[in-house]
Amino acid sequence: MGAGIPAPAARVLIEAGRRMDARGWVPATAGNLSLRLGPGRIVITRSGVHKGFLTEDGLMLVDEAGAPADPGLRPSAETGLHCGIYRRFPEAGAVLHGHSVAATVLSRQAGAGIALAGYELLKAFPGLSTHRAAVQLPIFDNDQDIARLQQRVEALWALQPAPLPGYLIRGHGVYVWGRDMEEALLRLEALEFMLACELEERRVR
Amino acid sequence: MGAGIPAPAARVLIEAGRRMDARGWVPATAGNLSLRLGPGRIVITRSGVHKGFLTEDGLMLVDEAGAPADPGLRPSAETGLHCGIYRRFPEAGAVLHGHSVAATVLSRQAGAGIALAGYELLKAFPGLSTHRAAVQLPIFDNDQDIARLQQRVEALWALQPAPLPGYLIRGHGVYVWGRDMEEALLRLEALEFMLACELEERRVR
Amino acid sequence: MGAGIPAPAARVLIEAGRRMDARGWVPATAGNLSLRLGPGRIVITRSGVHKGFLTEDGLMLVDEAGAPADPGLRPSAETGLHCGIYRRFPEAGAVLHGHSVAATVLSRQAGAGIALAGYELLKAFPGLSTHRAAVQLPIFDNDQDIARLQQRVEALWALQPAPLPGYLIRGHGVYVWGRDMEEALLRLEALEFMLACELEERRVR
Amino acid sequence: MGAGIPAPAARVLIEAGRRMDARGWVPATAGNLSLRLGPGRIVITRSGVHKGFLTEDGLMLVDEAGAPADPGLRPSAETGLHCGIYRRFPEAGAVLHGHSVAATVLSRQAGAGIALAGYELLKAFPGLSTHRAAVQLPIFDNDQDIARLQQRVEALWALQPAPLPGYLIRGHGVYVWGRDMEEALLRLEALEFMLACELEERRVR
C-alpha cells in the first residue's frame, strides 16, 4: 500500500493524475506517474488503477532498478521505462506518461519522429531559447517487452549529447520528465499542445 | 422510486452518470446505466431523465427478464438490451450505454463493424494481452423494436466463443459491460478513446 | 434589477447559463435565456452580461410584447425573438439561445436549413418517436433588425402545421424552446449533439 | 512578491488565469495577464509560472515603461508588449495574452492577417454594431526581440485611425485588451470563438 510514502509526495502524484485526467490524457488505466524522493526511492503508480482517481493505495515504492520496497507488491511493467529515465538522467525528479488522442494518432502515422518547429512553446524545453528552434520528437515502436523497448530508447540516447526530455511510443502515448513534478507537468502540457497543433495542421492541409 | 435500492448502489450509478456527462457522452436523455445487485435484482436508470443529473428517483429495480419490482413503474425500452447482457454473461455486474459524437459518427459511416488494431488500450479488454491484438467492434443497425434488436445481438454472440464485452448501435452509441461499474467505466473509456482516435484518423487521411 | 423575480426562477436561469457556459455555448456576451413565469411575466437575461456568470442583476421582467416591467430597464434587442416564441406557442415555458462553434460554422455554410436524419436523439423532439424520422432545421439569415427577422420566422411557422421547436440564425446560433427549462435544455443538448455530429461528418467525407 | 498589489486586483488576475486555463489557453507557462491600477501602476504576471495556478507571488508591479517597482524582480520579456498597449491606449485597463491551438495553427498558416466577417460576435469589438462588419485581425511574425516586435506593432497602429483591440503573433497566440478585465475577457472569448470557427471552416472546405 502507501506504506513508506510521505503524504506530500502522494498528494503531488494524486493532483498530477487529476490534472491529466481533466485533460483526457489518462483514459481507462492508461498512463503512469512517478516521483523520485531520493536515491533508490521512487514512488510510482501501480498498474490497473485509473490515474484520475488515485489514492495512496495506488502508489508503491521502487528503486532505480525497478525492485519494489515491499516484495509483496508487483510493479507495473512500464516501471522499467521510468527507471531507465531516472538511471540515465540524475537530475530527473519526476516522470509522466500520458495517453492523448493526438499523441496516439500522430505516432501511429509518423515514422521515426515528429519534427516540431516554430512554436513559442519549444522554449519549455532545455537549451531552446527561441521559437526558431526545431526538435525531433523520437517515436519508438510499441513493444510488450519493456526491457527490449528500454534498450532501444537507450541506444538512441547514446547517440545524442543532450536528449530531449521526452519521447513517444507508437499508438501508446508520450513520456516526459523534469526536475520535479511541476516541471514535468509544464513540459507535458507544452508537448501535448504542440502535438494538438500538429494534428490540426495535418487536417487542414 | 428509489424504494429497495441500496444507497451505495445508487451512489455508484449517480457518480458514473456524472462522469459520462463530463465527457459529453450522455447528451439530453441519451444513455443508460445499470448495476446487478444479485440474481434477479438489477438497478437501471429510468427513461426520460438526464444521466448527468441522476437522483435515486431516476432509478428502478428490474429482474433479468426486464420485469419491474414495482409494477407501477414502466422501464425504458432499452432495458431489454441490458437484461440480454446480464442473461448471457453471468459474470457481468454493470452495463453502460453511452452516446458520444465519435461513436455516432463512426457507426453511421461504417459497415458491420469497426476494426480496432495496434492500440495499447486494447489491453483493457479480456484476452487481449498485447497491443498487437485486433478486434472487430460489432455494429448493429438501430431498431425501435428492442426485442428484435436483442435477437440480432444474440445471433452474433452465438457465433463467437468469447464475444467482446461491447458493441455499437448505428447512430445511437455504445454498449459496454464489466464485472462491476469500475471495470465497465474503464472499458467505456478505453473504447471511446479508440473511437476518438479512429475518427481523427479518418479526418487526417 | 432582480426586483420582482422569484429567487427559484433566477436560480433556474443562473444554473442553465452555467451549464451552457461549461459546454462553450455562450462565449463573451453571446446567448440569452428566458423563462415564462405566467401570462405577461417573462424573465429574460439582459444584454451585455456573460451568461456563464449570471446574477439576479443580469435578469429582467418583460411581457409577451417585450415591454419591460421596470420602464427604467432596456431589454436586449433579441428579446423580440423570445417573445415571438412565447406568443406563438402557448405551451412554451422556456427559451434558450446558444452560440456554439458547430451551429455557427454549419449555418454559415448551409442553405435554408440542415437536414437531420437517422439520429436516435431526434426522439428528443415532439412527434418524432423513431430514429427513422428526418427533420429540416430551418436557418434564417442574420439581421440586426430583430422585428424583421421575427417576421421571417413567423412566415415560416405559418406554413407548417407543427413547427420544430428550434431554428438557427446564420453565423449566430440556435434558438430552442420547451415547456420548462429542463425540456429546453434537453432539446438544446440534443440539437447541439446532432450539429456536432453533422460537422464531423462534413470533415470526414 | 505580491508586495504593494491590492488583494482585489490579485484576485481578478488569479480568476482570469483560471478561466483561461479551463479553456486550454495557457498551456505550460504560456500566456500572460495584466491590469492597470492607475498611471504607472500595472500588475503583471511573472514569467515561468503556470497562469492557471497563479498566486500573489506570481504577480509584480511595473510602470508603463516596463520598469519594476521592486528592482529585485525581473519582469518577463513580453511585458514590453503589455506596456506598449497601455502607452498607446490610455483607456486600456487590462491586457490578456492567450495561447490557443486555434490561434497558433491559424497564425502559422495565414499571411499578414485573418479576415473575420459575418460573425454576430464581431459586435464584441468597438465600432462594430452589426454582424455585417468585417475586420482584419493583424498577424505579426514572432520575434524574441520584443522591443523590435513592439516597434512593428506600433508601425501598424500608426497607419490605422482606430486599431482593433487585438492582434496575433505567429505560432504564439493572441493579444487582446479592454477597459477592464471583464471587457478584456469578453473580447478574448469572442476572438477565440471566431478563430475556432475559422479553423473548423478551413477543415470542412
Side-chain angles (χ1 to χ4, degrees):
Chain A
M1 308 304 166
I5 299 172
R11 175 72 14 209
V12 162
L13 286 158
I14 289 168
E15 288 297 329
R18 285 185 192 157
R19 175 89 182 165
M20 292 173 74
D21 182 43
R23 298 299 192 205
W25 297 339
V26 284
T29 59
N32 37 63
L33 304 81
S34 69
L35 195 63
R36 176 149 58 181
L37 306 179
R41 296 188 69 225
I42 294 161
V43 193
I44 190 163
T45 48
R46 300 173 66 186
S47 66
V49 298
H50 196 296
K51 307 315 179 298
F53 301 96
L54 278 177
T55 63
E56 292 197 11
D57 286 352
L59 304 174
M60 64 182 293
L61 274 168
V62 297
D63 65 16
E64 276 87 352
D70 176 344
L73 296 179
R74 204 174 61 89
S76 129
E78 291 178 43
T79 298
L81 300 177
H82 287 249
C83 291
I85 291 164
Y86 289 120
R87 285 195 308 269
R88 173 66 174 77
F89 303 100
E91 72 279 16
V95 177
L96 295 174
H97 166 44
H99 204 106
S100 72
V101 168
T104 302
V105 171
L106 286 171
S107 68
R108 281 163 66 97
Q109 297 189 335
I114 293 176
L116 299 174
Y119 291 102
E120 180 72 14
L121 274 175
L122 283 169
K123 290 163 67 179
F125 291 93
L128 303 175
S129 59
T130 157
H131 67 279
R132 292 189 179 279
V135 302
Q136 179 80 356
L137 181 66
I139 304 178
F140 299 99
D141 287 335
N142 199 4
D143 195 331
Q144 298 303 318
D145 182 334
I146 295 293
R148 189 168 58 191
L149 174 50
Q150 177 59 22
Q151 281 173 3
R152 282 188 280 125
V153 173
E154 289 177 13
L156 182 74
W157 285 342
L159 299 173
Q160 300 181 322
L164 194 75
Y167 60 78
L168 288 172
I169 304 179
R170 200 177 313 284
H172 188 155
V174 63
Y175 270 83
V176 70
W177 55 95
R179 277 166 302 181
D180 50 24
M181 185 56 80
E182 187 182 348
E183 189 175 74
L185 275 170
L186 291 177
R187 288 176 175 173
L188 179 66
E189 282 195 26
L191 211 48
E192 288 290 355
F193 181 88
M194 291 185 283
L195 292 174
C197 289
E198 289 289 316
L199 187 57
E200 291 291 327
E201 292 203 351
R202 277 159 177 77
R203 278 186 209 152
V204 174
R205 265 173 221 157
Chain B
M1 309 302 166
I5 300 171
R11 175 73 14 212
V12 161
L13 286 158
I14 289 168
E15 288 298 329
R18 285 185 192 158
R19 174 88 183 166
M20 292 173 74
D21 182 44
R23 298 299 192 205
W25 296 340
V26 284
T29 58
N32 37 63
L33 304 80
S34 69
L35 196 63
R36 177 150 56 182
L37 306 179
R41 295 187 70 227
I42 295 162
V43 193
I44 190 163
T45 48
R46 300 172 67 186
S47 67
V49 298
H50 195 296
K51 306 315 178 299
F53 302 96
L54 278 178
T55 63
E56 293 197 10
D57 285 352
L59 305 174
M60 65 182 291
L61 274 169
V62 297
D63 65 15
E64 275 87 351
D70 176 344
L73 296 178
R74 204 174 61 90
S76 128
E78 290 179 43
T79 299
L81 299 177
H82 288 249
C83 291
I85 291 164
Y86 290 119
R87 285 195 306 269
R88 173 68 173 75
F89 303 100
E91 71 279 16
V95 177
L96 295 174
H97 165 43
H99 204 107
S100 72
V101 168
T104 302
V105 171
L106 286 170
S107 68
R108 281 163 65 96
Q109 298 189 335
I114 293 176
L116 299 173
Y119 291 101
E120 180 72 13
L121 275 175
L122 283 169
K123 290 163 66 179
F125 290 92
L128 304 175
S129 60
T130 157
H131 67 279
R132 293 188 178 278
V135 302
Q136 179 81 356
L137 181 66
I139 304 178
F140 299 99
D141 287 335
N142 199 5
D143 195 331
Q144 298 303 318
D145 182 334
I146 295 294
R148 189 169 57 191
L149 175 49
Q150 177 59 24
Q151 281 173 4
R152 281 189 280 124
V153 172
E154 289 177 13
L156 182 73
W157 286 342
L159 300 173
Q160 300 181 322
L164 194 73
Y167 59 79
L168 288 171
I169 303 179
R170 200 176 313 284
H172 187 155
V174 63
Y175 269 83
V176 69
W177 55 96
R179 275 165 304 180
D180 50 25
M181 185 57 79
E182 188 182 349
E183 189 174 74
L185 274 169
L186 291 177
R187 288 175 176 176
L188 179 65
E189 282 195 26
L191 211 49
E192 288 289 355
F193 181 89
M194 290 185 283
L195 292 174
C197 288
E198 289 290 315
L199 187 57
E200 292 290 328
E201 293 204 350
R202 277 158 177 75
R203 279 185 208 153
V204 175
R205 264 174 222 157
Chain C
M1 307 304 165
I5 300 171
R11 176 73 12 213
V12 162
L13 286 158
I14 289 168
E15 288 299 328
R18 285 186 191 154
R19 175 87 182 167
M20 291 172 76
D21 183 44
R23 298 298 191 205
W25 296 340
V26 285
T29 58
N32 37 63
L33 304 80
S34 69
L35 196 63
R36 177 149 56 180
L37 307 180
R41 295 187 70 225
I42 295 161
V43 193
I44 189 164
T45 48
R46 299 172 67 185
S47 66
V49 299
H50 196 297
K51 307 314 179 298
F53 302 97
L54 278 178
T55 63
E56 292 197 11
D57 287 352
L59 304 174
M60 64 183 291
L61 273 169
V62 296
D63 64 16
E64 274 87 353
D70 175 344
L73 295 180
R74 203 173 63 88
S76 130
E78 291 179 42
T79 299
L81 300 177
H82 288 249
C83 291
I85 292 163
Y86 290 120
R87 283 195 308 268
R88 172 70 173 77
F89 303 100
E91 70 280 17
V95 178
L96 294 174
H97 166 42
H99 204 107
S100 73
V101 168
T104 302
V105 171
L106 285 171
S107 67
R108 281 162 65 95
Q109 297 189 335
I114 294 176
L116 299 173
Y119 291 102
E120 179 71 14
L121 275 175
L122 283 169
K123 289 163 67 179
F125 290 94
L128 304 175
S129 60
T130 156
H131 67 280
R132 293 189 177 277
V135 303
Q136 179 81 354
L137 181 65
I139 305 178
F140 299 99
D141 287 335
N142 200 3
D143 195 330
Q144 298 303 317
D145 183 334
I146 294 294
R148 190 168 56 193
L149 176 49
Q150 177 59 24
Q151 281 172 4
R152 281 190 280 125
V153 172
E154 290 177 13
L156 182 73
W157 286 341
L159 300 174
Q160 300 180 323
L164 194 74
Y167 59 78
L168 288 172
I169 304 178
R170 201 177 310 284
H172 189 152
V174 63
Y175 270 83
V176 70
W177 56 96
R179 275 164 304 180
D180 50 24
M181 184 58 79
E182 188 182 349
E183 189 175 73
L185 275 169
L186 292 176
R187 287 174 176 177
L188 179 65
E189 282 195 26
L191 211 48
E192 289 290 353
F193 181 89
M194 290 185 283
L195 292 174
C197 289
E198 288 290 315
L199 187 58
E200 292 291 327
E201 293 203 351
R202 278 157 176 76
R203 281 185 206 151
V204 175
R205 265 172 220 159
Chain D
M1 309 304 166
I5 299 171
R11 175 74 11 213
V12 162
L13 287 158
I14 288 167
E15 287 299 328
R18 284 186 194 156
R19 175 87 181 166
M20 292 172 74
D21 183 43
R23 298 300 191 203
W25 296 340
V26 285
T29 59
N32 36 65
L33 304 81
S34 69
L35 196 62
R36 178 148 57 181
L37 306 179
R41 296 188 70 226
I42 294 160
V43 193
I44 189 163
T45 49
R46 300 173 67 185
S47 66
V49 299
H50 196 295
K51 305 316 179 297
F53 301 97
L54 278 178
T55 64
E56 293 197 10
D57 286 353
L59 304 174
M60 64 183 292
L61 273 168
V62 297
D63 64 16
E64 275 87 353
D70 176 344
L73 295 179
R74 203 173 62 87
S76 129
E78 290 178 43
T79 298
L81 299 176
H82 288 249
C83 292
I85 291 163
Y86 289 120
R87 285 195 307 270
R88 173 68 173 76
F89 303 100
E91 72 279 15
V95 178
L96 294 174
H97 166 43
H99 203 107
S100 72
V101 168
T104 301
V105 170
L106 286 171
S107 67
R108 281 162 65 96
Q109 297 188 335
I114 293 176
L116 299 174
Y119 291 102
E120 179 71 14
L121 275 176
L122 284 169
K123 291 164 66 179
F125 291 94
L128 304 175
S129 59
T130 157
H131 68 279
R132 293 188 177 279
V135 302
Q136 178 80 354
L137 181 66
I139 305 177
F140 299 100
D141 285 336
N142 198 3
D143 195 331
Q144 297 303 317
D145 183 334
I146 295 294
R148 190 167 58 193
L149 175 49
Q150 177 58 25
Q151 280 173 5
R152 282 190 279 124
V153 172
E154 289 177 13
L156 182 75
W157 285 342
L159 299 173
Q160 300 180 323
L164 193 75
Y167 60 78
L168 288 172
I169 304 179
R170 201 178 311 284
H172 188 154
V174 64
Y175 270 85
V176 70
W177 55 96
R179 276 165 303 179
D180 50 24
M181 184 57 80
E182 187 182 349
E183 189 176 74
L185 275 169
L186 292 177
R187 288 175 176 175
L188 179 67
E189 283 195 26
L191 211 48
E192 288 290 355
F193 181 88
M194 291 185 283
L195 292 174
C197 288
E198 288 289 316
L199 187 57
E200 292 291 327
E201 292 203 351
R202 278 157 176 77
R203 279 185 208 152
V204 174
R205 265 173 219 158

